[in-house]
Amino acid sequence: MLDTLMLSRIQFAANISFHILFPTITIALCWFLVFFKVRFDMTGNPVWMRAYRFWVKIFALSFALGVVSGITMSFQFGTNWPGFMEKVGNIAGPLLGYEVLTAFFLEATFLGIMLFGIKRVPPKVHTLACLIVALGTTLSAFWILSLNSWLQTPTGFEMRDGVAFPTDWFAIIFNPSFPYRLAHMLLASGLTASFLIIGISCYRLLKGDDKQAPKLTLKVALIVAAVLAPLQAFVGDLHGLNTLEHQPQKIAAMEGVWHTEKGAPLLLFAIPDEEQRTNHFEIGIPNLASLILTHEMEGEIKGLNEFIGEHPPVKPVFFGFRIMVGLGLLMIAASWFGLYQLKRRNKLPPWLMRGFVLLTFSGWLATLAGWYVTEIGRQPYLVSGVLKVSDAATQIAPGNVGFSLILYLSVYVILLAAYLHTVFLMARRAVEIEEFEPNQQPVKSSLTHGENAYV
């Protein structure tokens, strides 16, 4: 039977996995909405407004689930991790408070105007409200990523009687891994929203929706994905170099390196064996891991054996990293090939659109895989070098945690199924909605190159 510590870890993983799905969409989707709205204001073309009206509904649905699931996250600190706030509450508390004061209030105040004020306030005021909500979602990510990064690379504090006290808030907020994690997360959000728009737009087209709006949003999202996907690979490389410097044991687990070695191979596949401290069925490219991580063919990578008792479980980090990278490479290939098809044929073939529908939520999978690499890779510490997970967990009976875990999982399965059903239902119903009001006509000169053109 699982003990209280493991049940608490599973419960926190379930809560944060469910929660992160929705901010990952809304952070970037809100910027897409700002773009659609600004383009409508500039051109007066109702196709942009139709695109805005469809996607603002999905934004509202995702935002609501993100807020509700985020509330349970704060409960976790009290119910399952009392040692966390006792030890580092002087730092974690203010950072969470700054998010509420500067970001959440900003979003909540202007969200009402964004969702319900389009016919009640002047167009410029409504566009400004959209922009402020977008800034709020990004600012929220700023504070959460600052706290999460501090847990990975804590700086700017001192310990007094076993409790962390801040000594330099600038060093705390802008800790060594923060810039890389923030950039990595914002790009991940951009890719998640892009592939969501691509997938749903393709779904509408496959269902016979021949209107201009899904073609327009498909092309916009494809261009954004084609730019962000390789940029994410570049930032990921920088993030890896930072992790090698500050968390070498995590890099060793990601690469499956057991012994400190020079010219380490890049393992495409292996089955790590933690008991025998070796890998089985290795398929690797000689020297490539050292080249990527140190930019030298014979660069040295510290092995896991240098950190016995202080390194994370290897298998989930090793495989999670490969799932994330594999999905990232797939996103690059798919977005570039999609753009090539649009340029060459001015539309996508049905088989490719069906492929993009399958990739609708690929951003979720990549984000979750990367998040597990980050969080499991910090084990056995909750705050690197400061507080171990086992020292922060509650001591209540396992049955109590197990009961709440079952309730959480049950609710999340229902909510997730309802969310996915609603998104595709809205897409199918959009097929039946007329694109323009009786008094509206598209501005053809600024949008189309032909009758059925993809803008």
Side-chain angles (χ1 to χ4, degrees):
M1 182 178 176
L2 298 176
D3 60 15
T4 299
L5 174 60
M6 183 54 69
L7 287 168
S8 295
R9 290 178 62 186
I10 293 173
Q11 182 166 302
F12 193 83
N15 277 295
I16 199 168
S17 295
F18 183 76
H19 170 66
I20 198 174
L21 299 179
F22 302 103
T24 304
I25 287 177
T26 55
I27 290 168
L29 183 55
C30 201
W31 287 105
F32 274 103
L33 292 172
V34 170
F35 178 73
F36 296 159
K37 191 66 176 34
V38 169
R39 289 294 292 155
F40 172 72
D41 291 344
M42 292 174 63
T43 65
N45 196 310
V47 177
W48 291 108
M49 178 53 71
R50 178 56 60 195
Y52 171 85
R53 285 183 179 278
F54 175 78
W55 283 102
V56 78
K57 296 173 187 171
I58 293 181
F59 171 81
L61 179 65
S62 307
F63 188 89
L65 282 170
V67 170
V68 171
S69 59
I71 292 173
T72 62
M73 295 296 301
S74 56
F75 293 161
Q76 299 288 297
F77 298 136
T79 57
N80 295 64
W81 306 100
F84 175 71
M85 296 310 281
E86 285 178 11
K87 296 285 185 181
V88 298
N90 291 331
I91 294 168
L95 290 178
L96 291 171
Y98 297 152
E99 190 230 351
V100 173
L101 286 173
T102 62
F104 191 69
F105 282 177
L106 201 64
E107 295 168 289
T109 303
F110 288 90
L111 184 66
I113 299 174
M114 179 181 176
L115 297 182
F116 307 110
I118 194 165
K119 293 184 178 178
R120 294 180 173 83
V121 298
K124 289 183 179 178
V125 174
H126 183 263
T127 303
L128 179 63
C130 296
L131 178 63
I132 292 175
V133 173
L135 288 171
T137 59
T138 305
L139 197 55
S140 178
F142 175 94
W143 290 115
I144 295 302
L145 266 295
S146 176
L147 173 57
N148 182 265
S149 300
W150 185 83
L151 303 182
Q152 308 277 344
T153 52
T155 53
F157 72 102
E158 65 181 15
M159 299 299 290
R160 300 178 202 161
D161 300 324
V163 177
F165 285 85
T167 57
D168 183 346
W169 276 107
F170 187 86
I172 289 172
I173 295 169
F174 296 96
N175 58 81
S177 65
F178 170 65
Y180 305 97
R181 292 181 197 285
L182 179 64
H184 206 43
M185 186 63 209
L186 293 180
L187 289 170
S189 175
L191 285 169
T192 302
S194 296
F195 274 86
L196 174 67
I197 295 173
I198 293 169
I200 296 299
S201 299
C202 285
Y203 181 77
R204 289 176 59 180
L205 293 170
L206 288 169
K207 288 292 180 182
D209 191 344
D210 197 39
K211 294 191 285 287
Q212 292 182 24
K215 300 173 185 176
L216 175 68
T217 53
L218 170 59
K219 183 173 183 179
V220 170
L222 262 180
I223 293 172
V224 173
V227 173
L228 295 188
L231 185 59
Q232 179 71 307
F234 174 71
V235 171
D237 178 61
L238 296 178
H239 191 187
L241 297 177
N242 177 267
T243 306
L244 178 66
E245 180 181 354
H246 296 282
Q247 296 176 292
Q249 67 276 30
K250 182 188 290 186
I251 286 290
M254 290 162 61
E255 299 297 342
V257 176
W258 294 93
H259 308 284
T260 299
E261 58 183 306
K262 295 181 178 178
L266 177 67
L267 298 180
L268 302 177
F269 180 80
I271 299 179
D273 185 336
E274 215 158 321
E275 288 188 3
Q276 298 184 26
R277 305 195 71 76
T278 187
N279 298 321
H280 301 294
F281 309 109
E282 282 188 1
I283 301 174
I285 301 175
N287 299 91
L288 192 53
S290 287
L291 180 62
I292 293 173
L293 288 168
T294 66
H295 295 178
E296 295 178 7
M297 294 293 285
E298 294 297 327
E300 181 178 283
I301 299 179
K302 284 188 176 180
L304 289 160
N305 290 338
E306 303 275 349
F307 309 98
I308 292 178
E310 295 285 313
H311 67 71
V314 181
K315 275 185 181 176
V317 177
F318 181 85
F319 287 115
F321 178 67
R322 274 146 190 80
I323 292 171
M324 177 188 69
V325 173
L327 285 168
L329 294 175
L330 180 61
M331 288 176 173
I332 294 175
S335 58
W336 285 9
F337 186 69
L339 265 188
Y340 169 74
Q341 287 290 316
L342 273 189
K343 184 176 179 58
R344 183 167 170 264
R345 305 175 54 182
N346 212 21
K347 62 180 180 180
L348 299 184
W351 66 266
L352 185 56
M353 287 197 285
R354 284 193 284 273
F356 276 124
V357 172
L358 292 176
L359 291 176
T360 300
F361 294 100
S362 56
W364 274 5
L365 298 177
T367 300
L368 285 176
W371 198 252
Y372 291 153
V373 171
T374 296
E375 298 306 300
I376 298 175
R378 191 181 56 213
Q379 303 295 322
Y381 286 96
L382 204 163
V383 182
S384 296
V386 176
L387 176 64
K388 286 193 171 182
V389 172
S390 56
D391 295 331
T394 179
Q395 300 297 319
I396 62 175
N400 294 345
V401 183
F403 179 70
S404 60
L405 172 60
I406 291 171
L407 289 180
Y408 275 124
L409 291 176
S410 302
V411 171
Y412 290 159
V413 168
I414 294 170
L415 288 177
L416 190 58
Y419 175 82
L420 295 175
H421 173 75
T422 305
V423 168
F424 284 99
L425 179 64
M426 285 195 290
R428 289 194 296 274
R429 289 191 172 175
V431 177
E432 303 165 1
I433 298 174
E434 291 296 328
E435 186 154 42
F436 305 114
E437 301 290 337
N439 60 342
Q440 289 180 327
Q441 287 298 323
V443 181
K444 294 183 179 178
S445 60
S446 65
L447 274 177
T448 63
H449 299 298
E451 186 177 352
N452 294 313
Y454 277 41
V455 192

